[in-house]
Amino acid sequence: MSLASVTSITATLLVIGIFVMLALNFDYIATNIESQVEMKAFLVDGLGQDVIESMKKNVESLDGVKTVTFESKTQALEKFKEKFNNNSYLLEGLDDRNPLPDSLIVTMISPNNAKEISESISKMSDVENVVYGKEVLDKLLKITYALRVGCLLLIAVLLIISTFIIANTIKLTVFARRREISIMKFVGATDWFVRWPFIIEGVVIGIIGSIITVLALSSVYMYFVKTLSGSMLGIMSFTIMPFSEIVIDTTFFVTCIGIFIGFLGSVISVRKFLKV
Amino acid sequence: MTHFFCRIIKDFRSLCRNIILKGCDFLIRLNDVNKVFTDGHKVLNNINLHIQKGEFVFLVGSSGAGKSTLIKLMLKETEATTGKIVIDNEDITKMRRRYIPHLRRNIGVVFQDFKLLQEKTVYENVAFAMEVIEASPREVRRQVPIILSMVGLSKKYDLYPQQLSGGEQQRVSLARAMVNSPKILIADEPTGNLDPDTSREIMKLLVEINQRGTTILMATHAKDIVDNMKKRVVAIEGGRIVRDEMRGAYCRET
Ligand SMILES: Nc1ncnc2c1ncn2[C@@H]1O[C@H](COP(=O)(O)OP(=O)(O)OP(=O)(O)O)[C@@H](O)[C@H]1O
Ligand SMILES: [Mg+2]
């Protein structure tokens, strides 16, 4: 078991691990934002309480709808006032003739359903208009999709590169034993008989590398979470993935990748020496 | 037209040969074997060689004649360019890569440079050959001492190759080749690094192994050994078999 192999597999796993953590966070933040996306259905003025109740039920029964809350025009005005607290001149005279309509606020299970839901709601009677920040949402979906795919592609490329780095490192060990391998082949050893000790070695190196990587990355992440929660989280509208969750996921992915790289690396490095 | 007749004659010839050869108990059959290396160098030219079970065959010829290449073909270390090689009733030219280990378990090999593992003892070097083919530890413990006493190394089982003379090292490699009781023993210049006396001892061992029923093919430059033994001699020159005599000598008798 060479120190060189452990070092190089740990180095590559660290890089891969950073991207795994980034990908996990993109995913986490994206789903967080997506779940916060609301849809507003503006209603015709002067509807009775019972009509509104039954409309609420109808909307709730639609596929993909999570919650429906009623916001009266007075409540809407209150909110509006709160938002523009300092610019009260804008609000002058609004109390007498409130221009804001009643509305139903709809949250969705997934923003992917937004289009169909908005279409179904607009078809209902007494609904004036449905808005859900279509462009913003579409852009957000595109960005998060691109980020996820980008991270995965990068991880795949890193995986290939690091497999060859590891294969080359393990090749040194195999090279030192090439005489033994060729004699094994002469007396009738099967390829797998020659291969498996190297594969075990590769997998063990992979596991050791993963452990070191996970320890290093998770302590850095813990530090990161601590500093962030103190200073910035209040300003930002999203949070990064909590420590307990990311540690489990990262450990899983990094260990799998470590074992995979170790396995494939040894298979590749032994291959040349089996041709006897 | 002539082409057509040629083909009929060729088919008929090979048919006859197959009928004749089927009757005999040939362990090794090479039919029309050619070997051309990728650089265009034609090393073996239309080799036809049939060796019966229990025979002792010397392969002689000057350096570069193609003896080692012929041996490598039989071990499937390199592929024949054309032709057919049948060993123990198996056409190895068509053999899949993953069956090569089974071919080699039937053939013990000994080389001029012994090819022993320096960091293993005599015992371990021999046991290694059994472990590699996944023999049980019990079998290993039973078989290795038997084979070591056959080559006369019972007392030196605990020594490392550097502590042995050349002759003793070659005995170890013979023991390793024979420990799995192969049907064929191929030796490529096994006495090439040994003095005449030691060579004679190794030859004695080979004769003994042969008398127990193992077929032996031995490539050599040792004229006096070949002349003394009066065994079958196959001579190769420039990749062709130029002589094949049942009780032959190293050189053509004049
Ligand atoms: N891989 C190869 N590529 C090209 N030519 C080769 C290769 N291996 C062997 N040869 C050529 O094949 C010829 C025969 O080599 P071979 O080793 O079979 O001779 P040999 O009869 O065993 O000689 P010696 O008695 O010296 O051992 C040589 O001319 C050699 O250069
Ligand atoms: Mg040779």
Side-chain angles (χ1 to χ4, degrees):
Chain A
M1 182 103 31
S2 67
L3 192 66
S5 312
V6 176
T7 314
S8 58
I9 210 167
T10 307
T12 53
L13 281 177
L14 274 171
V15 178
I16 290 178
I18 288 171
F19 281 100
V20 167
M21 282 184 151
L22 277 180
L24 286 171
N25 262 303
F26 285 145
D27 207 49
Y28 181 81
I29 292 167
T31 24
N32 239 349
I33 294 176
E34 282 167 4
S35 71
Q36 284 168 14
V37 169
E38 291 177 348
M39 183 183 289
K40 263 189 176 176
F42 297 112
L43 306 179
V44 185
D45 259 351
L47 292 175
Q49 196 63 41
D50 45 340
V51 180
I52 289 167
E53 274 306 314
S54 77
M55 273 185 89
K56 211 178 138 188
K57 285 224 176 73
N58 280 344
V59 176
E60 265 168 356
S61 68
L62 289 174
D63 261 353
V65 170
K66 198 154 73 181
T67 61
V68 183
T69 37
F70 174 70
E71 189 181 73
S72 72
K73 52 196 300 166
T74 356
Q75 283 166 331
L77 188 60
E78 294 289 301
K79 254 196 197 169
F80 197 71
K81 276 180 178 168
E82 247 169 60
K83 243 184 204 166
F84 295 92
N85 217 356
N86 303 328
N87 307 323
S88 45
Y89 63 92
L90 278 175
L91 308 170
E92 271 167 29
L94 282 185
D95 283 324
D96 317 329
R97 267 187 75 254
N98 181 354
L100 298 174
D102 291 334
S103 61
L104 290 175
I105 296 171
V106 183
T107 63
M108 294 155 283
I109 293 167
S110 152
N112 294 320
N113 306 327
K115 207 167 163 230
E116 294 110 70
I117 294 174
S118 84
E119 273 164 13
S120 320
I121 297 177
S122 350
K123 277 185 204 134
M124 294 177 181
S125 53
D126 302 327
V127 172
E128 282 217 317
N129 196 6
V130 182
V131 294
Y132 65 93
K134 193 163 175 298
E135 273 106 62
V136 177
L137 187 61
D138 282 353
K139 212 169 261 174
L140 181 71
L141 284 178
K142 261 187 203 144
I143 290 172
T144 55
Y145 180 76
L147 281 177
R148 269 180 258 187
V149 171
C151 266
L152 285 182
L153 277 180
L154 213 65
I155 289 173
V157 170
L158 285 171
L159 212 69
I160 294 169
I161 294 173
S162 47
T163 303
F164 279 97
I165 293 175
I166 299 309
N168 269 323
T169 322
I170 298 177
K171 205 172 267 172
L172 297 179
T173 330
V174 183
F175 186 78
R177 294 178 56 190
R178 66 193 183 286
R179 245 175 73 85
E180 193 176 343
I181 293 175
S182 79
I183 293 170
M184 280 171 142
K185 293 288 292 180
F186 268 118
V187 292
T190 59
D191 286 353
W192 275 109
F193 185 88
V194 178
R195 242 183 310 224
W196 71 257
F198 292 105
I199 286 178
I200 288 182
E201 188 177 326
V203 169
V204 169
I205 290 172
I207 291 174
I208 294 174
S210 319
I211 293 171
I212 299 173
T213 303
V214 167
L215 287 179
L217 284 181
S218 51
S219 43
V220 169
Y221 196 84
M222 187 137 76
Y223 175 78
F224 197 62
V225 169
K226 261 187 199 148
T227 24
L228 265 191
S229 63
S231 60
M232 295 175 73
L233 281 190
I235 313 167
M236 290 195 283
S237 60
F238 60 87
T239 55
I240 60 172
M241 209 165 167
F243 182 74
S244 56
E245 265 178 62
I246 202 158
V247 161
I248 294 170
D249 287 0
T250 310
T251 305
F252 175 76
F253 283 119
V254 168
T255 310
C256 284
I257 291 172
I259 290 173
F260 175 80
I261 292 176
F263 179 90
L264 205 63
S266 354
V267 170
I268 292 172
S269 61
V270 179
R271 217 177 53 147
K272 202 179 104 192
F273 297 93
L274 288 175
K275 285 180 191 154
V276 180
Chain B
M1 200 60 177
T2 45
H3 180 70
F4 178 72
F5 274 116
C6 281
R7 260 195 31 209
I8 287 190
I9 291 170
K10 215 171 160 192
D11 285 352
F12 181 70
R13 273 221 321 251
S14 71
L15 186 73
C16 287
R17 185 159 58 204
N18 282 347
I19 291 169
I20 295 165
L21 297 184
K22 272 259 166 63
C24 309
D25 201 3
F26 283 119
L27 201 53
I28 301 174
R29 295 204 311 251
L30 282 82
N31 290 347
D32 305 325
V33 171
N34 289 281
K35 174 69 187 177
V36 184
F37 277 108
T38 39
D39 57 2
H41 191 129
K42 190 155 190 176
V43 178
L44 291 176
N45 204 332
N46 210 35
I47 299 284
N48 282 288
L49 177 63
H50 302 97
I51 298 176
Q52 281 184 35
K53 199 169 178 304
E55 266 192 291
F56 195 126
V57 181
F58 284 115
L59 197 56
V60 301
S62 50
S63 247
K67 305 182 294 293
S68 297
T69 306
L70 192 66
I71 285 171
K72 282 179 184 160
L73 286 182
M74 292 185 209
L75 293 168
K76 216 168 157 66
E77 203 185 320
T78 52
E79 301 281 331
T81 311
T82 59
K84 192 167 157 181
I85 302 174
V86 180
I87 289 180
D88 198 15
N89 291 320
E90 260 204 274
D91 185 351
I92 70 163
T93 42
K94 286 184 193 141
M95 182 180 264
R96 294 251 203 83
R97 207 183 117 73
R98 64 192 169 99
Y99 292 116
I100 295 178
H102 298 278
L103 166 72
R104 293 188 182 161
R105 288 170 195 194
N106 257 332
I107 306 177
V109 207
V110 177
F111 300 95
Q112 178 174 4
D113 59 353
F114 320 133
K115 292 200 196 300
L116 298 175
L117 291 169
Q118 299 301 322
E119 68 284 359
K120 282 190 185 335
T121 64
V122 168
Y123 182 95
E124 288 162 353
N125 262 289
V126 178
F128 176 73
M130 291 190 79
E131 284 152 10
V132 154
I133 65 163
E134 288 157 81
S136 74
R138 260 188 69 200
E139 270 178 278
V140 176
R141 279 197 301 273
R142 197 176 57 88
Q143 185 67 15
V144 175
I146 294 175
I147 214 84
L148 280 180
S149 81
M150 190 191 89
V151 299
L153 281 177
S154 294
K155 290 200 183 113
K156 308 212 167 177
Y157 73 97
D158 218 11
L159 297 182
Y160 290 89
Q162 304 103 297
Q163 298 170 297
L164 300 177
S165 70
E168 286 166 335
Q169 291 191 46
Q170 192 58 293
R171 286 159 190 260
V172 179
S173 96
L174 256 176
R176 183 182 62 194
M178 293 309 298
V179 76
N180 294 317
S181 336
K183 290 184 181 164
I184 302 167
L185 177 66
I186 293 182
D188 195 354
E189 299 184 42
T191 61
N193 281 347
L194 307 176
D195 66 61
D197 284 341
T198 321
S199 301
R200 226 164 287 136
E201 282 170 30
I202 294 294
M203 289 316 295
K204 247 199 224 153
L205 261 176
L206 285 178
V207 169
E208 207 181 305
I209 290 167
N210 179 236
Q211 278 165 354
R212 293 180 190 208
T214 308
T215 306
I216 296 185
L217 176 64
M218 171 173 159
T220 186
H221 291 295
K223 180 179 186 311
D224 49 336
I225 290 177
V226 178
D227 290 345
N228 272 331
M229 298 267 293
K230 301 211 162 38
K231 299 282 188 187
R232 180 175 170 190
V233 175
V234 174
I236 304 187
E237 279 318 323
R240 292 175 190 275
I241 294 183
V242 293
R243 182 158 59 95
D244 185 348
E245 295 167 344
M246 281 324 280
R247 291 170 66 79
Y250 188 79
C251 302
R252 191 183 295 276
E253 271 143 294
T254 45

